[in-house]
Amino acid sequence: MGATSPLSIVARSALRLRDAGPATVSDLSRSLEVSRTSVENAVAVLSDSGLLVDAPAQVGGGAGRPARRYSFHAAAGVVVGVDIGVASVRVVVADLAGVVIAQRTFPGVAEQPDGPAKLAAVIDDVRRTLARLSLPRTGLRAIGVSLPGIVDDDGRVTTSVVIPEWSGIDIGSQLRQAFGCPVAVDNGVRLAAVAEHHLGVAQLVDDVIYLSVGNRIAMGLILGGRPRRGIHNAAGDIGRLAFRGLNTETGQISWRTAPTAAEVFALARSGEQAAREELDGFIDELAHGIATLIMTVDPAMVVIGGGLSAAHEQLLDPLRAALPGHLGLPFQVPVAEARLGAEAAAHGAVVHAFQRHPGDIYGIEDMPAPPITPLPHDAAAGDDPEEKQ
């Protein structure tokens, strides 16, 4: 991986205003350590592109008119993240500073009869979400999409066990035609890993294994601070291979003592011996698979997400206890519970769109993605009663 090129003065000026608040030209010149003329030129470019607005002047003790202050115009546009699943479709809308301003959850695509109907439902979900916002004509700058399956770099679904009707379909192109903006598509577990690295429990940790443990087991890798896709875009599709006892075709977890994982965990908590033994065996197999991955990647952290992470310490404590016996190493790798839960992939899709399309979003090709600020949990929790039944 080559060295990162230094940011342009335009990008540095926009970044300072976006992430640190209003400033004058003199403020920018001092903080960026560049000439006033260079900053003035950058401010002119940013103003012409609609990314700056005037901020209230600061009243000081000196004589004369206060210096003109500029603010980053976060409301000039939005970036959308969509997490497509069979059980739910989640739509997150962030302004240009990365602050989430809307979030809605819709029924999943499983109830739709075929591939085109599934795609039409997702498009309708995004449109319903955007319809409630007062956006300028060019307000929608980019869309990031998370979906279950192997996705190539252009947004075509190579294969999907979960939504097989979309295998071979260029979902990115379909959504670009529907919304007239750039679209970035990637695997959902990989984007959940991106979210946990960018705004979740794995911030500042550049080598991370993110493991989604739910109906299936799947992995997302962050290596050197970047998501690892692999030459065939299949990095992380290891559930049915690295973890013994799963369905060899789908990677599905099956349970003997109860129909669902939640029921097995509940029975184990109540002291039911068969459920406790099944759960102990599952956790030991999980630890064995994680140990294999740790020895392959040597990460700084393992993050456990997915539906079973909701079991919290009933899963994590015995998993942490079992892992050293499988590793046999003189060091420990921290195992952390994912912070973003079911919202991770949708927020990761927002990050992915910012990272893939900065030129379309900001008009600045080297503009870094912003920090993402989720909605408060109580504001994001409820579904809309008017949603399609």
Side-chain angles (χ1 to χ4, degrees):
M1 189 181 300
T4 302
S5 301
L7 297 180
S8 65
I9 294 177
V10 172
R12 292 175 64 198
S13 299
L15 188 65
R16 162 64 177 78
L17 291 166
R18 185 191 71 186
D19 296 350
T24 66
V25 168
S26 296
D27 294 334
L28 291 171
S29 177
R30 284 193 299 271
S31 64
L32 301 180
E33 297 182 341
V34 296
S35 71
R36 184 182 177 90
T37 299
S38 296
V39 171
E40 287 173 340
N41 292 337
V43 165
V45 171
L46 294 172
S47 296
D48 289 344
S49 66
L51 287 179
L52 297 189
V53 292
D54 285 338
Q58 286 184 321
V59 179
R65 184 163 42 172
R68 188 176 182 182
R69 299 172 75 231
Y70 298 94
S71 286
F72 184 82
H73 189 21
V78 299
V79 172
V80 171
V82 188
D83 176 31
I84 303 169
V86 293
S88 66
V89 174
R90 300 175 186 273
V91 182
V92 171
V93 184
D95 68 17
L96 298 189
V99 176
V100 175
I101 58 174
Q103 181 172 323
R104 298 178 75 184
T105 302
F106 299 86
V109 299
E111 62 185 37
Q112 303 301 325
D114 54 30
K118 285 175 167 57
L119 181 60
V122 172
I123 291 171
D124 185 53
D125 294 341
V126 175
R127 285 178 173 158
R128 283 170 179 259
T129 305
L130 293 174
R132 294 190 170 188
L133 304 174
S134 299
L135 295 179
R137 184 178 58 83
T138 58
L140 180 55
R141 302 294 177 90
I143 298 174
V145 178
S146 152
L147 56 79
I150 297 174
V151 183
D152 71 18
D153 206 40
D154 294 324
R156 179 182 297 275
V157 181
T158 304
T159 182
S160 175
V161 173
V162 180
I163 311 178
E165 304 98 320
W166 284 0
S167 296
I169 303 301
D170 190 343
I171 294 296
S173 175
Q174 297 288 333
L175 292 172
R176 281 190 291 274
Q177 292 178 28
F179 291 99
C181 70
V183 177
V185 186
D186 207 345
N187 170 267
V189 179
R190 185 176 297 124
L191 291 184
V194 167
E196 289 293 342
H197 177 254
H198 194 79
L199 64 145
V201 72
Q203 294 179 69
L204 307 180
V205 182
D206 280 347
D207 293 285
V208 181
I209 289 175
Y210 173 91
L211 207 65
S212 175
V213 186
N215 293 326
R216 298 169 180 80
I217 300 178
M219 180 180 69
L221 276 177
I222 303 292
L223 297 178
R226 297 184 180 184
R228 174 64 180 171
R229 297 179 60 87
I231 193 66
H232 301 104
N233 307 295
D237 190 26
I238 47 72
R240 62 191 184 279
L241 301 176
F243 298 90
R244 300 173 299 196
L246 305 185
N247 183 298
T248 55
E249 293 184 2
T250 66
Q252 190 88 12
I253 300 171
S254 59
W255 301 95
R256 298 187 312 274
T257 55
T260 67
E263 292 171 277
V264 175
F265 275 84
L267 287 173
R269 281 196 302 272
S270 71
E272 207 280 327
Q273 186 62 28
R276 291 178 63 176
E277 290 176 358
E278 181 177 27
L279 190 55
D280 288 346
F282 170 76
I283 290 173
D284 193 64
E285 287 295 341
L286 186 61
H288 174 272
I290 291 174
T292 303
L293 299 176
I294 287 174
M295 293 305 295
T296 304
V297 178
D298 192 16
M301 177 182 286
V302 175
V303 178
I304 305 296
L308 294 197
S309 67
H312 306 298
E313 301 313 312
Q314 191 183 2
L315 172 68
L316 293 181
D317 280 350
L319 180 61
R320 293 181 183 118
L323 194 53
H326 289 282
L327 282 171
L329 295 173
F331 58 83
Q332 294 186 359
V333 178
V335 177
E337 181 182 342
R339 182 179 298 167
L340 299 169
E343 311 297 335
H347 287 80
V350 172
V351 176
H352 186 50
F354 273 112
Q355 291 175 337
R356 287 293 300 270
H357 298 294
D360 297 285
I361 294 169
Y362 295 115
I364 306 168
E365 291 294 342
D366 57 342
M367 186 72 167
I372 305 298
T373 305
L375 281 176
H377 182 71
D378 55 352
D383 294 343
D384 194 309
E386 297 180 1
E387 293 315 334
K388 55 184 183 290
Q389 300 300 311

mmCIF file of all heavy atoms in Angstrom, residues 13-14 17-18 21-25 28 42-57 67-77 96 136 141:
data_model
loop_
_atom_site.group_PDB
_atom_site.id
_atom_site.type_symbol
_atom_site.label_atom_id
_atom_site.label_comp_id
_atom_site.label_asym_id
_atom_site.label_seq_id
_atom_site.Cartn_x
_atom_site.Cartn_y
_atom_site.Cartn_z
ATOM 1 N N SER A 13 -8.934 23.056 3.656
ATOM 2 C CA SER A 13 -9.780 24.154 4.132
ATOM 3 C C SER A 13 -11.198 23.660 4.403
ATOM 4 O O SER A 13 -11.801 23.966 5.446
ATOM 5 C CB SER A 13 -9.809 25.284 3.098
ATOM 6 O OG SER A 13 -8.516 25.815 2.872
ATOM 7 N N ALA A 14 -11.737 22.863 3.461
ATOM 8 C CA ALA A 14 -13.086 22.321 3.652
ATOM 9 C C ALA A 14 -13.130 21.395 4.863
ATOM 10 O O ALA A 14 -14.093 21.424 5.645
ATOM 11 C CB ALA A 14 -13.522 21.579 2.393
ATOM 12 N N LEU A 17 -13.190 23.413 8.125
ATOM 13 C CA LEU A 17 -14.484 24.039 8.373
ATOM 14 C C LEU A 17 -15.559 22.996 8.677
ATOM 15 O O LEU A 17 -16.422 23.202 9.533
ATOM 16 C CB LEU A 17 -14.896 24.884 7.163
ATOM 17 C CG LEU A 17 -14.046 26.139 6.926
ATOM 18 C CD1 LEU A 17 -14.320 26.701 5.545
ATOM 19 C CD2 LEU A 17 -14.318 27.186 7.996
ATOM 20 N N ARG A 18 -15.510 21.860 7.994
ATOM 21 C CA ARG A 18 -16.514 20.813 8.199
ATOM 22 C C ARG A 18 -16.406 20.186 9.583
ATOM 23 O O ARG A 18 -17.419 19.973 10.267
ATOM 24 C CB ARG A 18 -16.347 19.723 7.138
ATOM 25 C CG ARG A 18 -17.417 18.629 7.189
ATOM 26 C CD ARG A 18 -17.057 17.450 6.307
ATOM 27 N NE ARG A 18 -15.943 16.681 6.868
ATOM 28 C CZ ARG A 18 -15.357 15.667 6.239
ATOM 29 N NH1 ARG A 18 -15.752 15.317 5.027
ATOM 30 N NH2 ARG A 18 -14.355 15.018 6.813
ATOM 31 N N GLY A 21 -15.616 23.586 12.661
ATOM 32 C CA GLY A 21 -16.503 24.731 12.840
ATOM 33 C C GLY A 21 -16.060 25.978 12.107
ATOM 34 O O GLY A 21 -15.046 25.987 11.396
ATOM 35 N N PRO A 22 -16.839 27.081 12.245
ATOM 36 C CA PRO A 22 -16.602 28.307 11.478
ATOM 37 C C PRO A 22 -15.222 28.901 11.721
ATOM 38 O O PRO A 22 -14.624 28.733 12.787
ATOM 39 C CB PRO A 22 -17.704 29.247 11.982
ATOM 40 C CG PRO A 22 -18.756 28.358 12.557
ATOM 41 C CD PRO A 22 -18.017 27.188 13.115
ATOM 42 N N ALA A 23 -14.740 29.620 10.713
ATOM 43 C CA ALA A 23 -13.422 30.249 10.809
ATOM 44 C C ALA A 23 -13.332 31.387 9.814
ATOM 45 O O ALA A 23 -14.059 31.427 8.815
ATOM 46 C CB ALA A 23 -12.317 29.231 10.545
ATOM 47 N N THR A 24 -12.431 32.325 10.092
ATOM 48 C CA THR A 24 -12.098 33.385 9.140
ATOM 49 C C THR A 24 -10.945 32.906 8.259
ATOM 50 O O THR A 24 -10.328 31.860 8.513
ATOM 51 C CB THR A 24 -11.666 34.651 9.877
ATOM 52 O OG1 THR A 24 -10.431 34.394 10.580
ATOM 53 C CG2 THR A 24 -12.724 35.108 10.881
ATOM 54 N N VAL A 25 -10.646 33.682 7.235
ATOM 55 C CA VAL A 25 -9.494 33.365 6.385
ATOM 56 C C VAL A 25 -8.213 33.347 7.216
ATOM 57 O O VAL A 25 -7.355 32.469 7.063
ATOM 58 C CB VAL A 25 -9.392 34.382 5.230
ATOM 59 C CG1 VAL A 25 -8.044 34.252 4.523
ATOM 60 C CG2 VAL A 25 -10.523 34.177 4.228
ATOM 61 N N LEU A 28 -8.015 30.154 9.209
ATOM 62 C CA LEU A 28 -7.632 29.027 8.365
ATOM 63 C C LEU A 28 -6.150 29.082 8.008
ATOM 64 O O LEU A 28 -5.453 28.066 8.015
ATOM 65 C CB LEU A 28 -8.477 29.013 7.092
ATOM 66 C CG LEU A 28 -9.965 28.686 7.270
ATOM 67 C CD1 LEU A 28 -10.722 28.937 5.967
ATOM 68 C CD2 LEU A 28 -10.137 27.238 7.704
ATOM 69 N N ALA A 42 -8.794 29.068 -1.998
ATOM 70 C CA ALA A 42 -9.551 27.875 -1.637
ATOM 71 C C ALA A 42 -10.972 28.242 -1.221
ATOM 72 O O ALA A 42 -11.939 27.564 -1.606
ATOM 73 C CB ALA A 42 -8.847 27.131 -0.500
ATOM 74 N N VAL A 43 -11.127 29.306 -0.465
ATOM 75 C CA VAL A 43 -12.452 29.751 -0.030
ATOM 76 C C VAL A 43 -13.304 30.143 -1.231
ATOM 77 O O VAL A 43 -14.511 29.856 -1.279
ATOM 78 C CB VAL A 43 -12.319 30.913 0.978
ATOM 79 C CG1 VAL A 43 -13.661 31.632 1.161
ATOM 80 C CG2 VAL A 43 -11.818 30.396 2.314
ATOM 81 N N ALA A 44 -12.689 30.771 -2.222
ATOM 82 C CA ALA A 44 -13.432 31.144 -3.432
ATOM 83 C C ALA A 44 -13.941 29.902 -4.158
ATOM 84 O O ALA A 44 -15.097 29.864 -4.610
ATOM 85 C CB ALA A 44 -12.534 31.968 -4.357
ATOM 86 N N VAL A 45 -13.112 28.864 -4.244
ATOM 87 C CA VAL A 45 -13.533 27.614 -4.889
ATOM 88 C C VAL A 45 -14.684 26.980 -4.115
ATOM 89 O O VAL A 45 -15.690 26.540 -4.695
ATOM 90 C CB VAL A 45 -12.343 26.639 -4.988
ATOM 91 C CG1 VAL A 45 -12.814 25.254 -5.450
ATOM 92 C CG2 VAL A 45 -11.283 27.178 -5.939
ATOM 93 N N LEU A 46 -14.551 26.938 -2.795
ATOM 94 C CA LEU A 46 -15.585 26.319 -1.963
ATOM 95 C C LEU A 46 -16.885 27.116 -1.997
ATOM 96 O O LEU A 46 -17.981 26.549 -1.993
ATOM 97 C CB LEU A 46 -15.085 26.189 -0.525
ATOM 98 C CG LEU A 46 -13.910 25.226 -0.315
ATOM 99 C CD1 LEU A 46 -13.381 25.316 1.107
ATOM 100 C CD2 LEU A 46 -14.323 23.797 -0.637
ATOM 101 N N SER A 47 -16.790 28.421 -2.039
ATOM 102 C CA SER A 47 -17.994 29.252 -2.119
ATOM 103 C C SER A 47 -18.710 29.036 -3.443
ATOM 104 O O SER A 47 -19.943 28.918 -3.491
ATOM 105 C CB SER A 47 -17.629 30.730 -1.944
ATOM 106 O OG SER A 47 -17.095 30.976 -0.665
ATOM 107 N N ASP A 48 -17.937 28.971 -4.534
ATOM 108 C CA ASP A 48 -18.540 28.752 -5.851
ATOM 109 C C ASP A 48 -19.235 27.393 -5.934
ATOM 110 O O ASP A 48 -20.228 27.246 -6.655
ATOM 111 C CB ASP A 48 -17.463 28.839 -6.944
ATOM 112 C CG ASP A 48 -16.968 30.266 -7.143
ATOM 113 O OD1 ASP A 48 -17.654 31.200 -6.682
ATOM 114 O OD2 ASP A 48 -15.897 30.440 -7.747
ATOM 115 N N SER A 49 -18.733 26.412 -5.184
ATOM 116 C CA SER A 49 -19.327 25.078 -5.233
ATOM 117 C C SER A 49 -20.496 24.927 -4.256
ATOM 118 O O SER A 49 -21.103 23.849 -4.186
ATOM 119 C CB SER A 49 -18.263 24.016 -4.923
ATOM 120 O OG SER A 49 -17.818 24.127 -3.577
ATOM 121 N N GLY A 50 -20.799 25.968 -3.505
ATOM 122 C CA GLY A 50 -21.934 25.920 -2.585
ATOM 123 C C GLY A 50 -21.654 25.253 -1.259
ATOM 124 O O GLY A 50 -22.584 24.972 -0.499
ATOM 125 N N LEU A 51 -20.375 25.034 -0.942
ATOM 126 C CA LEU A 51 -20.038 24.354 0.303
ATOM 127 C C LEU A 51 -19.825 25.301 1.478
ATOM 128 O O LEU A 51 -19.627 24.839 2.605
ATOM 129 C CB LEU A 51 -18.774 23.505 0.112
ATOM 130 C CG LEU A 51 -18.938 22.229 -0.715
ATOM 131 C CD1 LEU A 51 -17.604 21.514 -0.847
ATOM 132 C CD2 LEU A 51 -19.970 21.301 -0.080
ATOM 133 N N LEU A 52 -19.856 26.608 1.232
ATOM 134 C CA LEU A 52 -19.658 27.566 2.324
ATOM 135 C C LEU A 52 -20.846 28.510 2.433
ATOM 136 O O LEU A 52 -21.474 28.864 1.432
ATOM 137 C CB LEU A 52 -18.385 28.393 2.104
ATOM 138 C CG LEU A 52 -17.040 27.665 2.093
ATOM 139 C CD1 LEU A 52 -15.906 28.682 2.080
ATOM 140 C CD2 LEU A 52 -16.902 26.724 3.278
ATOM 141 N N VAL A 53 -21.128 28.903 3.655
ATOM 142 C CA VAL A 53 -22.090 29.973 3.936
ATOM 143 C C VAL A 53 -21.452 30.902 4.954
ATOM 144 O O VAL A 53 -20.502 30.525 5.657
ATOM 145 C CB VAL A 53 -23.431 29.432 4.473
ATOM 146 C CG1 VAL A 53 -24.173 28.662 3.402
ATOM 147 C CG2 VAL A 53 -23.220 28.582 5.713
ATOM 148 N N ASP A 54 -21.963 32.120 5.035
ATOM 149 C CA ASP A 54 -21.452 33.062 6.028
ATOM 150 C C ASP A 54 -21.891 32.651 7.426
ATOM 151 O O ASP A 54 -23.054 32.284 7.650
ATOM 152 C CB ASP A 54 -21.951 34.476 5.737
ATOM 153 C CG ASP A 54 -21.217 35.106 4.560
ATOM 154 O OD1 ASP A 54 -20.089 34.663 4.257
ATOM 155 O OD2 ASP A 54 -21.768 36.036 3.945
ATOM 156 N N ALA A 55 -20.962 32.713 8.355
ATOM 157 C CA ALA A 55 -21.265 32.462 9.762
ATOM 158 C C ALA A 55 -21.404 33.797 10.472
ATOM 159 O O ALA A 55 -20.860 34.817 10.025
ATOM 160 C CB ALA A 55 -20.150 31.634 10.400
ATOM 161 N N PRO A 56 -22.131 33.840 11.581
ATOM 162 C CA PRO A 56 -22.239 35.093 12.338
ATOM 163 C C PRO A 56 -20.867 35.598 12.741
ATOM 164 O O PRO A 56 -19.990 34.819 13.138
ATOM 165 C CB PRO A 56 -23.068 34.693 13.569
ATOM 166 C CG PRO A 56 -23.823 33.483 13.145
ATOM 167 C CD PRO A 56 -22.926 32.761 12.186
ATOM 168 N N ALA A 57 -20.681 36.889 12.603
ATOM 169 C CA ALA A 57 -19.395 37.490 12.956
ATOM 170 C C ALA A 57 -19.210 37.473 14.470
ATOM 171 O O ALA A 57 -20.171 37.602 15.228
ATOM 172 C CB ALA A 57 -19.319 38.913 12.431
ATOM 173 N N ALA A 67 -13.995 40.462 11.029
ATOM 174 C CA ALA A 67 -13.601 39.685 9.855
ATOM 175 C C ALA A 67 -14.723 38.726 9.455
ATOM 176 O O ALA A 67 -15.454 38.214 10.292
ATOM 177 C CB ALA A 67 -12.323 38.909 10.158
ATOM 178 N N ARG A 68 -14.851 38.494 8.160
ATOM 179 C CA ARG A 68 -15.871 37.597 7.650
ATOM 180 C C ARG A 68 -15.541 36.158 8.046
ATOM 181 O O ARG A 68 -14.417 35.690 7.885
ATOM 182 C CB ARG A 68 -15.929 37.711 6.133
ATOM 183 C CG ARG A 68 -17.081 36.955 5.489
ATOM 184 C CD ARG A 68 -17.101 37.208 3.992
ATOM 185 N NE ARG A 68 -18.223 36.542 3.336
ATOM 186 C CZ ARG A 68 -18.436 36.569 2.026
ATOM 187 N NH1 ARG A 68 -17.583 37.235 1.222
ATOM 188 N NH2 ARG A 68 -19.474 35.943 1.506
ATOM 189 N N ARG A 69 -16.542 35.454 8.583
ATOM 190 C CA ARG A 69 -16.368 34.064 9.004
ATOM 191 C C ARG A 69 -17.192 33.159 8.095
ATOM 192 O O ARG A 69 -18.276 33.519 7.645
ATOM 193 C CB ARG A 69 -16.807 33.861 10.463
ATOM 194 C CG ARG A 69 -16.010 34.676 11.443
ATOM 195 C CD ARG A 69 -16.626 34.572 12.835
ATOM 196 N NE ARG A 69 -16.349 33.287 13.464
ATOM 197 C CZ ARG A 69 -17.260 32.505 14.005
ATOM 198 N NH1 ARG A 69 -18.544 32.825 13.948
ATOM 199 N NH2 ARG A 69 -16.921 31.367 14.605
ATOM 200 N N TYR A 70 -16.659 31.974 7.863
ATOM 201 C CA TYR A 70 -17.305 31.019 6.964
ATOM 202 C C TYR A 70 -17.675 29.755 7.734
ATOM 203 O O TYR A 70 -16.953 29.300 8.621
ATOM 204 C CB TYR A 70 -16.366 30.646 5.817
ATOM 205 C CG TYR A 70 -15.989 31.812 4.945
ATOM 206 C CD1 TYR A 70 -14.802 32.528 5.188
ATOM 207 C CD2 TYR A 70 -16.796 32.211 3.886
ATOM 208 C CE1 TYR A 70 -14.444 33.604 4.387
ATOM 209 C CE2 TYR A 70 -16.450 33.282 3.080
ATOM 210 C CZ TYR A 70 -15.277 33.979 3.345
ATOM 211 O OH TYR A 70 -14.939 35.044 2.565
ATOM 212 N N SER A 71 -18.810 29.183 7.353
ATOM 213 C CA SER A 71 -19.236 27.884 7.884
ATOM 214 C C SER A 71 -19.357 26.892 6.737
ATOM 215 O O SER A 71 -19.695 27.274 5.606
ATOM 216 C CB SER A 71 -20.605 27.984 8.576
ATOM 217 O OG SER A 71 -20.509 28.628 9.809
ATOM 218 N N PHE A 72 -19.106 25.643 7.048
ATOM 219 C CA PHE A 72 -19.338 24.575 6.081
ATOM 220 C C PHE A 72 -20.842 24.384 5.917
ATOM 221 O O PHE A 72 -21.581 24.284 6.895
ATOM 222 C CB PHE A 72 -18.677 23.284 6.556
ATOM 223 C CG PHE A 72 -18.777 22.163 5.573
ATOM 224 C CD1 PHE A 72 -17.895 22.076 4.509
ATOM 225 C CD2 PHE A 72 -19.753 21.188 5.703
ATOM 226 C CE1 PHE A 72 -17.979 21.045 3.597
ATOM 227 C CE2 PHE A 72 -19.853 20.155 4.797
ATOM 228 C CZ PHE A 72 -18.963 20.079 3.736
ATOM 229 N N HIS A 73 -21.304 24.326 4.662
ATOM 230 C CA HIS A 73 -22.748 24.243 4.381
ATOM 231 C C HIS A 73 -23.162 22.773 4.330
ATOM 232 O O HIS A 73 -23.359 22.186 3.265
ATOM 233 C CB HIS A 73 -23.040 24.952 3.058
ATOM 234 C CG HIS A 73 -24.502 25.124 2.776
ATOM 235 N ND1 HIS A 73 -25.467 25.082 3.745
ATOM 236 C CD2 HIS A 73 -25.166 25.341 1.596
ATOM 237 C CE1 HIS A 73 -26.657 25.266 3.207
ATOM 238 N NE2 HIS A 73 -26.499 25.414 1.915
ATOM 239 N N ALA A 74 -23.331 22.196 5.516
ATOM 240 C CA ALA A 74 -23.652 20.768 5.597
ATOM 241 C C ALA A 74 -24.990 20.436 4.968
ATOM 242 O O ALA A 74 -25.204 19.322 4.474
ATOM 243 C CB ALA A 74 -23.634 20.325 7.052
ATOM 244 N N ALA A 75 -25.912 21.394 4.971
ATOM 245 C CA ALA A 75 -27.259 21.138 4.452
ATOM 246 C C ALA A 75 -27.351 21.262 2.940
ATOM 247 O O ALA A 75 -28.443 21.147 2.366
ATOM 248 C CB ALA A 75 -28.252 22.102 5.107
ATOM 249 N N ALA A 76 -26.213 21.462 2.268
ATOM 250 C CA ALA A 76 -26.240 21.599 0.811
ATOM 251 C C ALA A 76 -26.597 20.295 0.107
ATOM 252 O O ALA A 76 -26.967 20.307 -1.069
ATOM 253 C CB ALA A 76 -24.886 22.101 0.311
ATOM 254 N N GLY A 77 -26.516 19.175 0.788
ATOM 255 C CA GLY A 77 -26.836 17.900 0.160
ATOM 256 C C GLY A 77 -26.844 16.790 1.181
ATOM 257 O O GLY A 77 -26.568 17.004 2.371
ATOM 258 N N LEU A 96 -23.851 16.613 4.658
ATOM 259 C CA LEU A 96 -22.493 16.579 4.113
ATOM 260 C C LEU A 96 -21.414 16.616 5.188
ATOM 261 O O LEU A 96 -20.242 16.385 4.891
ATOM 262 C CB LEU A 96 -22.298 17.738 3.132
ATOM 263 C CG LEU A 96 -23.211 17.725 1.899
ATOM 264 C CD1 LEU A 96 -22.774 18.800 0.905
ATOM 265 C CD2 LEU A 96 -23.228 16.354 1.229
ATOM 266 N N PRO A 136 -32.490 20.434 -1.630
ATOM 267 C CA PRO A 136 -32.335 21.208 -2.868
ATOM 268 C C PRO A 136 -32.373 20.271 -4.075
ATOM 269 O O PRO A 136 -32.276 19.041 -3.937
ATOM 270 C CB PRO A 136 -30.954 21.858 -2.701
ATOM 271 C CG PRO A 136 -30.237 21.028 -1.689
ATOM 272 C CD PRO A 136 -31.284 20.484 -0.777
ATOM 273 N N ARG A 141 -26.481 13.457 -3.206
ATOM 274 C CA ARG A 141 -25.146 13.438 -3.795
ATOM 275 C C ARG A 141 -24.650 12.023 -4.107
ATOM 276 O O ARG A 141 -23.916 11.828 -5.076
ATOM 277 C CB ARG A 141 -24.150 14.135 -2.855
ATOM 278 C CG ARG A 141 -24.495 15.586 -2.519
ATOM 279 C CD ARG A 141 -24.404 16.484 -3.729
ATOM 280 N NE ARG A 141 -24.792 17.856 -3.463
ATOM 281 C CZ ARG A 141 -23.959 18.826 -3.073
ATOM 282 N NH1 ARG A 141 -22.673 18.560 -2.903
ATOM 283 N NH2 ARG A 141 -24.407 20.052 -2.877
#
